Amino acid sequence: MADLPETWCVPVVRADFRDDDVWRQIKDDIVSPTEEGFVAGVEFVEDRALAGLSGTAIAAGYPRAYPHQYRHPVLFVVDAVTVSLSERPLLVVNLNEGYETGPFRALPRQVQAIENNLSIANMDFHEFARSAGPDGVFRGF
C-alpha cells in the first residue's frame, strides 16, 4: 500500500483517474463553505498507487495508527465507487488506533462536518459511521 500522504490538513486522496471533471466537482463541493460557514481543512492528493483498488483494499492498507503514526484521524478517498455513483460518496477511512469502526461513505458536502468534528475531537468516527443510511452513506444528521 502507498504511504499516507504527509499533509498538514486531512487528506482527500484521489484513487480513480477516469474523469477529471468529476474530480474537480468533488473538490469544489468539499472546499465550498457550508450554509453555517464551516470549511473543510483538507488537502487534495492524487495517488496513482491506489488506482484500481477497491475501497476495502484501500481501507485495509492503512493501519489504525493515529495519533502515533498519522497526523489525522481520518482519510477521505475518491475511488471508483465515488466516481461511478451520482451522489459521489467518498470513502471515509478510520485511522484511529483502538477504534474498530470500519469505513463508511459520505457525500462531498458532508466532508466539512466530519473533518471539523473529528479534528477537534468534538465527535468520534463511530458517531458518523452509525448515522450513515442503510446504504452505508452519511448524508448528514
Side-chain angles (χ1 to χ4, degrees):
M1 179 58 59
D3 291 331
L4 187 66
E6 287 293 325
T7 64
W8 288 107
C9 298
V10 171
V12 177
V13 179
R14 183 181 187 184
D16 186 287
F17 296 85
R18 293 176 292 162
D19 194 326
D20 291 339
D21 291 335
V22 168
W23 174 239
R24 279 190 289 278
Q25 182 59 54
I26 290 169
K27 288 172 32 176
D28 288 347
D29 287 347
I30 292 172
V31 298
S32 297
T34 65
E35 291 178 12
E36 299 85 9
F38 295 107
V39 295
V42 299
E43 186 171 329
F44 297 100
V45 178
E46 297 193 32
D47 192 343
R48 291 194 180 270
L50 301 176
L53 295 177
S54 70
T56 303
I58 292 169
Y62 294 108
R64 294 190 179 123
Y66 170 83
H68 303 292
Q69 185 176 338
Y70 305 133
R71 291 182 180 162
H72 313 290
V74 67
L75 169 71
F76 297 97
V77 181
V78 176
D79 63 357
V81 173
T82 306
V83 173
S84 66
L85 296 176
S86 62
E87 288 185 295
R88 310 289 186 225
L90 287 81
L91 182 67
V92 186
V93 179
N94 180 13
L95 300 176
N96 283 283
E97 187 174 82
Y99 289 86
E100 296 305 316
T101 306
F104 64 94
R105 292 195 174 268
L107 300 184
R109 293 296 296 156
Q110 296 302 320
V111 169
Q112 297 92 331
I114 296 167
E115 181 278 322
N116 288 186
N117 283 291
L118 294 180
S119 291
I120 62 170
N122 187 50
M123 295 178 74
D124 291 323
F125 188 91
H126 73 272
E127 293 176 89
F128 290 100
R130 80 170 166 231
S131 296
D135 60 354
V137 177
F138 177 74
R139 293 178 174 82
F141 292 109

